[in-house]
Amino acid sequence: MGSWEFPGSRALAGAQLPPAGSVDPQVTFRILVVSTVDRAEQLAARLKQGADFATLAQAESLDPSAVRGGLIGPLALSALRVELRDALRDLPAGGVHGVVVVPTGYALVQRIEAASGATVRGAEVLALSAVSSVKATISVDGFTESETALRNLEKPADWNQDPRLICEFRQQGVERIKTSLSRVLATEEPGLRANYTPFEIIEGRVSLAQVYAYTGDMGPAIKEYEEAYRLALSYNPGSLLDLDQAIGAAYVHKAEMDNGLYTKPGDRCLLSLRPGPPLARTDDLSAGERRFLSLLDRNPGDLEAKWLLNAAHMATGGYPDRVPAQYRIPPEAFASAEDVGRFVDVASAAGVNSFSMAGGVVVDDFDNDGRLDILTSNVDSCAPMQLFRRDENGMFVDRGAQAGLGGQLGGLNLNQADYNNDGCRDVLVMRGGWQIAQRRSLLRGNCDGTFTDVTAAAGLLTPVTSSQTTAWTDIDNDGWVDLFVGNEDHAAQLFLNKQDGTFEDIAAPAGVRRTAFTKAVTAGDYDNDGFADLYVSNLRGGNVLYHNNGNRTFTDVTAAAGVPGADRGFPAWFFDYDNDGWEDLFATSYYMSIEETARTYIGLPLNAMPMKLYRNAGNGRFLDVTQATGLNKALMPMGANFGDIDNDGFLDIYLGTGSPSYVSLVPSMLLRNRRGQSFVDVTASSGTGEMHKGHGVAFADLDNDGDEEIVFKVGGATPGDAHEFRLFENPGHGNDWLGVKLVGVRSNRAAIGARITVTAEGAGGARRSIYRTVNSGGSFGASPLEQHIGLGRALRIVEVEVQWPASGTRQTFSDVPSNQVIEIREMADRYTKVSRQPLPLGGRGAR
């Protein structure tokens, strides 16, 4: 059973830190992390033959410390993960230990004498740290077990270049671990059972429970958790608290599945401050609630248990009244300070029927018929993409198979562009985020709603990496969009568009070839010099702002600009939140911690670093305005984007939240921009607080009535956490607006990076300018490249100005009527009105 030892189950089994007062030595060491056990063993053999550890780490390691030859420390031994602690504790100076499983892969470690200047802290050791003031959410999902099983399978060298093979091997891995553990744990042969300690039997039960949870078989999962709990009563009582939490979450997840909260959610899994109708089947929910009450009776200050108890009662319709007063989170903690009207989910009524795991979403016109379509992916390695095209009566119909997407399996995120300047939208599919490396897919749009996979022909097939984030931008203003790729297991890549359908990776000479666990990349011209700059948000490795030097090279200006981000970065983007003509920077933090989320809502001091909003000061520096704007929140944002929900001209934010664990029942958050001064949480009043896992987010006017809907891909990282799609229809706010479709001629055809300024006149002759840059919005989910610009209550539009990136051309149009869509071609002397007919969505728009 030792071969099935996973980090998640080790945590559940209750590894203990040294008791207070014991000696806690400091260690300095080098670490070398690679993505496969085979590669780790090959490098271990080279070290035995005399290879220099620092040199190998610098050349091979995926860890951010690679730039220093893997050097880390000095650190307290107790501050490290138990696996590293065990490896280093008795290791002599110069000794090498391997292979050690860490969250980022397979590690070799070498202990060394303390070295001058070796101190490393912050983001670079988060993956190695065992203790922190931030309490991590317990894992109840089987995600880690599934990934480890896949890594341990023997596979051909090019297996991860074929989506069908990825599907096949993932299924094999899950079945293999389930069969192996079930056989050992079910045997009555004394000799076989004698091979394992009671601790290993507990660990095996937990691992098997995790695998059942992964596939959504919650009954068998609960049975294994309960058996592990029974054994732990005698052999490992230190793990009981964690097991109580896991069992409670498993019962709640089973109840939600059995009552259809994932397949037909309606309003039942939205943040609700009032009692609702009870569910039909409540026995499992009651069992889960009892577990959380038991935890709270033993430790009344357990914020995670308190949060989950309240969330469980929300699911049953019993919040707040049925929550014991001493453990109740008051409704005021969730209440909205402003009422923005109720957004109603009309996905099913509109024909967007998509039940899936996590994935990306792009809203754009893929067949050039003037109607917006919805393209989605599914991280499930065996599930194809879906393309919901809009038919003439306004309904969405899945045409994924007809579009040539039947073989495009898996995919965590999507991003669109027109890389070949043919006037049609192309799409990049990103795979391998949080997972083992997998191929990406470049899908060339054929202008008729179909796609052709040109990944290999374009030179993007190899190397295969783990990635979920890319940014299309024209780095050299030659009129062709280039591609910046953030990876989790490989250095960043910058693909220069060679204008012949192919790309060349110039990351190294461009100065952006840095290795980190990257979760977002975004492009924007922060200093208004006409060249697109790059920002990289890393879960580990520290965020980076690259200034574009105008010659296909970049300079790291993170420190000088004052935009380090939080310790753990995820979604990030440039946008002008205060309409002053300078691109600001939003950089989230991501801690898998229910406790920190609870602290955010209840108003307790945070242990985690909050997300960051940096206001552009216009002098090459940014000011941290997080506190001043009300964004000092520690959440779990994954999918996220921005748009203007009320057409007041100021960009609002929607954060899709969660983590792989079924424990992560937290509402997604809608933040309204108060005229560029602050942001206010309007989740409860808007009805957009989906409690389950939020991924791809887009803002788009899908019914052509002049306001933006929220298009939301909901679903978790495992088959047992699949969920229905959400499409929240905007209730309308009566403000004016303008749609602007740009067509590049010398600049890239999709006009990515073009700048738009709309100056409007309101009551009393007061004028204001509103600024937009053409892009798809946030870093997880993609809005249309056609720009929707809210104007507030505008008497008239005084001027529309467009600045083009490649030609430097400025076009100005006066007295443009509002509440319409216009098309502007680069260097043309007039604009064209675009006719758009109202389309029903099945909700208010259908009446």
PDB file of all heavy atoms in Angstrom, residues 177-187 208 212:
ATOM      1  N   ILE A 177      -6.086   2.455  -9.732  1.00  0.00           N
ATOM      2  CA  ILE A 177      -5.919   2.750  -8.307  1.00  0.00           C
ATOM      3  C   ILE A 177      -7.117   2.249  -7.511  1.00  0.00           C
ATOM      4  O   ILE A 177      -6.987   1.734  -6.399  1.00  0.00           O
ATOM      5  CB  ILE A 177      -5.698   4.272  -8.097  1.00  0.00           C
ATOM      6  CG1 ILE A 177      -5.460   4.561  -6.616  1.00  0.00           C
ATOM      7  CG2 ILE A 177      -6.840   5.094  -8.597  1.00  0.00           C
ATOM      8  CD1 ILE A 177      -5.126   6.009  -6.347  1.00  0.00           C
ATOM      9  N   LYS A 178      -8.316   2.392  -8.077  1.00  0.00           N
ATOM     10  CA  LYS A 178      -9.516   1.919  -7.377  1.00  0.00           C
ATOM     11  C   LYS A 178      -9.460   0.407  -7.176  1.00  0.00           C
ATOM     12  O   LYS A 178      -9.730  -0.110  -6.086  1.00  0.00           O
ATOM     13  CB  LYS A 178     -10.762   2.317  -8.165  1.00  0.00           C
ATOM     14  CG  LYS A 178     -12.069   2.028  -7.438  1.00  0.00           C
ATOM     15  CD  LYS A 178     -13.278   2.388  -8.300  1.00  0.00           C
ATOM     16  CE  LYS A 178     -13.368   3.855  -8.563  1.00  0.00           C
ATOM     17  NZ  LYS A 178     -14.610   4.211  -9.298  1.00  0.00           N
ATOM     18  N   THR A 179      -9.077  -0.317  -8.238  1.00  0.00           N
ATOM     19  CA  THR A 179      -9.005  -1.778  -8.154  1.00  0.00           C
ATOM     20  C   THR A 179      -7.937  -2.223  -7.173  1.00  0.00           C
ATOM     21  O   THR A 179      -8.149  -3.125  -6.354  1.00  0.00           O
ATOM     22  CB  THR A 179      -8.722  -2.361  -9.541  1.00  0.00           C
ATOM     23  OG1 THR A 179      -9.773  -1.981 -10.431  1.00  0.00           O
ATOM     24  CG2 THR A 179      -8.632  -3.876  -9.486  1.00  0.00           C
ATOM     25  N   SER A 180      -6.760  -1.600  -7.248  1.00  0.00           N
ATOM     26  CA  SER A 180      -5.645  -1.991  -6.386  1.00  0.00           C
ATOM     27  C   SER A 180      -5.970  -1.779  -4.915  1.00  0.00           C
ATOM     28  O   SER A 180      -5.788  -2.671  -4.078  1.00  0.00           O
ATOM     29  CB  SER A 180      -4.396  -1.198  -6.778  1.00  0.00           C
ATOM     30  OG  SER A 180      -3.327  -1.481  -5.898  1.00  0.00           O
ATOM     31  N   LEU A 181      -6.473  -0.604  -4.579  1.00  0.00           N
ATOM     32  CA  LEU A 181      -6.784  -0.323  -3.183  1.00  0.00           C
ATOM     33  C   LEU A 181      -7.930  -1.188  -2.678  1.00  0.00           C
ATOM     34  O   LEU A 181      -7.890  -1.687  -1.550  1.00  0.00           O
ATOM     35  CB  LEU A 181      -7.132   1.156  -3.022  1.00  0.00           C
ATOM     36  CG  LEU A 181      -5.952   2.128  -3.033  1.00  0.00           C
ATOM     37  CD1 LEU A 181      -6.452   3.567  -3.092  1.00  0.00           C
ATOM     38  CD2 LEU A 181      -5.066   1.934  -1.808  1.00  0.00           C
ATOM     39  N   SER A 182      -8.950  -1.379  -3.512  1.00  0.00           N
ATOM     40  CA  SER A 182     -10.091  -2.207  -3.090  1.00  0.00           C
ATOM     41  C   SER A 182      -9.652  -3.633  -2.802  1.00  0.00           C
ATOM     42  O   SER A 182     -10.093  -4.256  -1.823  1.00  0.00           O
ATOM     43  CB  SER A 182     -11.168  -2.198  -4.177  1.00  0.00           C
ATOM     44  OG  SER A 182     -11.680  -0.911  -4.378  1.00  0.00           O
ATOM     45  N   ARG A 183      -8.755  -4.168  -3.643  1.00  0.00           N
ATOM     46  CA  ARG A 183      -8.298  -5.550  -3.459  1.00  0.00           C
ATOM     47  C   ARG A 183      -7.539  -5.706  -2.140  1.00  0.00           C
ATOM     48  O   ARG A 183      -7.786  -6.631  -1.368  1.00  0.00           O
ATOM     49  CB  ARG A 183      -7.400  -5.958  -4.623  1.00  0.00           C
ATOM     50  CG  ARG A 183      -6.850  -7.386  -4.513  1.00  0.00           C
ATOM     51  CD  ARG A 183      -5.957  -7.689  -5.700  1.00  0.00           C
ATOM     52  NE  ARG A 183      -4.805  -6.818  -5.739  1.00  0.00           N
ATOM     53  CZ  ARG A 183      -3.692  -7.016  -5.032  1.00  0.00           C
ATOM     54  NH1 ARG A 183      -3.600  -8.048  -4.206  1.00  0.00           N
ATOM     55  NH2 ARG A 183      -2.680  -6.190  -5.144  1.00  0.00           N
ATOM     56  N   VAL A 184      -6.631  -4.779  -1.867  1.00  0.00           N
ATOM     57  CA  VAL A 184      -5.833  -4.893  -0.639  1.00  0.00           C
ATOM     58  C   VAL A 184      -6.700  -4.716   0.600  1.00  0.00           C
ATOM     59  O   VAL A 184      -6.603  -5.470   1.572  1.00  0.00           O
ATOM     60  CB  VAL A 184      -4.696  -3.865  -0.659  1.00  0.00           C
ATOM     61  CG1 VAL A 184      -3.993  -3.829   0.698  1.00  0.00           C
ATOM     62  CG2 VAL A 184      -3.700  -4.200  -1.760  1.00  0.00           C
ATOM     63  N   LEU A 185      -7.588  -3.712   0.563  1.00  0.00           N
ATOM     64  CA  LEU A 185      -8.380  -3.415   1.750  1.00  0.00           C
ATOM     65  C   LEU A 185      -9.465  -4.452   2.007  1.00  0.00           C
ATOM     66  O   LEU A 185      -9.929  -4.605   3.143  1.00  0.00           O
ATOM     67  CB  LEU A 185      -9.017  -2.026   1.603  1.00  0.00           C
ATOM     68  CG  LEU A 185      -8.023  -0.862   1.616  1.00  0.00           C
ATOM     69  CD1 LEU A 185      -8.708   0.429   1.217  1.00  0.00           C
ATOM     70  CD2 LEU A 185      -7.373  -0.724   2.982  1.00  0.00           C
ATOM     71  N   ALA A 186      -9.873  -5.176   0.973  1.00  0.00           N
ATOM     72  CA  ALA A 186     -10.926  -6.173   1.139  1.00  0.00           C
ATOM     73  C   ALA A 186     -10.383  -7.548   1.499  1.00  0.00           C
ATOM     74  O   ALA A 186     -11.142  -8.429   1.892  1.00  0.00           O
ATOM     75  CB  ALA A 186     -11.753  -6.271  -0.151  1.00  0.00           C
ATOM     76  N   THR A 187      -9.073  -7.754   1.369  1.00  0.00           N
ATOM     77  CA  THR A 187      -8.520  -9.093   1.582  1.00  0.00           C
ATOM     78  C   THR A 187      -8.590  -9.506   3.050  1.00  0.00           C
ATOM     79  O   THR A 187      -8.508  -8.678   3.951  1.00  0.00           O
ATOM     80  CB  THR A 187      -7.057  -9.171   1.101  1.00  0.00           C
ATOM     81  OG1 THR A 187      -6.626 -10.520   1.205  1.00  0.00           O
ATOM     82  CG2 THR A 187      -6.157  -8.292   1.968  1.00  0.00           C
ATOM     83  N   LEU A 208      -8.859   5.517  -0.969  1.00  0.00           N
ATOM     84  CA  LEU A 208      -9.949   4.901  -1.726  1.00  0.00           C
ATOM     85  C   LEU A 208     -11.196   5.775  -1.671  1.00  0.00           C
ATOM     86  O   LEU A 208     -11.913   5.938  -2.669  1.00  0.00           O
ATOM     87  CB  LEU A 208     -10.243   3.507  -1.197  1.00  0.00           C
ATOM     88  CG  LEU A 208     -11.302   2.703  -1.976  1.00  0.00           C
ATOM     89  CD1 LEU A 208     -10.946   2.588  -3.456  1.00  0.00           C
ATOM     90  CD2 LEU A 208     -11.465   1.307  -1.361  1.00  0.00           C
ATOM     91  N   TYR A 212     -13.242   7.366  -4.955  1.00  0.00           N
ATOM     92  CA  TYR A 212     -14.701   7.299  -5.144  1.00  0.00           C
ATOM     93  C   TYR A 212     -15.293   8.705  -5.240  1.00  0.00           C
ATOM     94  O   TYR A 212     -16.175   8.979  -6.061  1.00  0.00           O
ATOM     95  CB  TYR A 212     -15.353   6.533  -3.996  1.00  0.00           C
ATOM     96  CG  TYR A 212     -15.290   5.037  -4.122  1.00  0.00           C
ATOM     97  CD1 TYR A 212     -14.738   4.249  -3.110  1.00  0.00           C
ATOM     98  CD2 TYR A 212     -15.805   4.374  -5.249  1.00  0.00           C
ATOM     99  CE1 TYR A 212     -14.685   2.865  -3.206  1.00  0.00           C
ATOM    100  CE2 TYR A 212     -15.748   2.991  -5.354  1.00  0.00           C
ATOM    101  CZ  TYR A 212     -15.196   2.242  -4.337  1.00  0.00           C
ATOM    102  OH  TYR A 212     -15.147   0.872  -4.452  1.00  0.00           O
TER     103      TYR A 212
END
